[in-house]
């Protein structure tokens, strides 16, 4: 044995039987994997959530529409457009514009109130009107808005 080999063997002891070490390390690795898989599966479930953004947007639109209807002097439904006669003499109209619902005052302006809309319907009733919104995702939302003349 050379001098260099002797120095190396002092720091690195030689094992006679190294085959058991491979089995031991494999069992240790396998036990760690089996321990971590259920924990990772539960963590993946926590990261997935159901977004209610579209539903909240539609109900927020209904809230705006109901509030403006209670402040209006009158209303009229023509086709799929709702016209509200405001107390200041102006007329606010709600209609579909491409895949959005927009509000215009005296046929001027462009306020987007709702996005991703496939179709909107305003059905006149004796005491108000029913608003039906069909979303692009296939959901249908309905709201009956009561008109109280002042």
């Amino acid at each position: 044995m050379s001098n260099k080999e002797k120095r190396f063997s002092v720091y690195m002891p030689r094992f006679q039987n190294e085959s058991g070490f491979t089995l031991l390390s494999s069992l240790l690795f396998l036990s760690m994997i089996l321990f971590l898989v259920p924990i990772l599966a539960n963590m993946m479930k926590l990261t997935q959530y159901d977004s209610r953004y579209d539903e909240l947007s539609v109900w927020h639109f209904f809230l705006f529409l109901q509030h403006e209807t209670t402040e209006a002097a009158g209303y009229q439904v023509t086709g799929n457009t709702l016209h509200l006669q405001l107390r200041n003499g102006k007329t606010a109209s709600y209609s579909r514009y491409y895949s959005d619902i927009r509000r215009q005052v005296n046929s001027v302006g462009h306020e987007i109130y709702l996005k991703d809309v496939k179709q909107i319907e305003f059905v006149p009733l004796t005491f108000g009107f029913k608003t039906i919104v069909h979303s692009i995702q296939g959901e249908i939302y309905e709201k009956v808005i009561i008109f109280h003349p002042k």
Side-chain angles (χ1 to χ4, degrees):
M1 212 183 239
S2 70
N3 196 16
K4 186 176 182 182
E5 289 176 357
K6 286 181 185 178
R7 275 189 284 141
F8 185 70
S9 66
V10 170
Y11 298 113
M12 185 91 170
R14 292 182 181 235
F15 295 104
Q16 295 294 330
N17 186 5
E18 294 183 7
S19 61
F21 182 73
T22 306
L23 177 64
L24 181 64
S25 64
S26 299
L27 288 175
L28 182 64
F29 178 73
L30 185 63
S31 66
M32 288 186 342
I33 292 295
L34 291 175
F35 179 72
L36 291 176
V37 165
I39 294 172
L40 291 175
N42 285 334
M43 289 179 69
M44 292 299 289
K45 286 181 187 176
L46 292 175
T47 60
Q48 298 172 355
Y49 66 94
D50 187 21
S51 175
R52 299 276 184 187
Y53 180 76
D54 295 332
E55 184 178 353
L56 288 173
S57 297
V58 171
W59 288 108
H60 202 201
F61 165 69
F62 286 153
L63 184 67
F64 279 130
L65 189 61
Q66 186 172 12
H67 177 69
E68 191 159 36
T69 302
T70 58
E71 298 295 321
Y75 74 96
Q76 179 184 4
V77 176
T78 56
N80 287 333
T81 304
L82 172 68
H83 303 280
L84 296 175
Q85 288 81 32
L86 304 177
R87 299 223 180 263
N88 59 6
K90 296 181 179 181
T91 302
S93 60
Y94 292 86
S95 62
R96 187 171 68 91
Y97 179 74
Y98 296 107
S99 65
D100 302 332
I101 295 177
R102 74 172 173 182
R103 176 183 182 263
Q104 292 183 306
V105 178
N106 289 342
S107 299
V108 178
H110 185 78
E111 291 179 292
I112 301 296
Y113 271 45
L114 189 59
K115 292 188 159 294
D116 298 333
V117 174
K118 183 177 180 181
Q119 181 182 356
I120 186 167
E121 300 174 53
F122 297 104
V123 180
L125 304 171
T126 57
F127 52 87
F129 56 91
K130 180 194 260 188
T131 306
I132 306 168
V133 175
H134 300 260
S135 71
I136 290 178
Q137 290 80 15
E139 300 290 327
I140 299 173
Y141 304 96
E142 296 181 5
K143 174 78 173 166
V144 173
I145 298 178
I146 300 170
F147 177 72
H148 301 283
K150 293 182 181 180

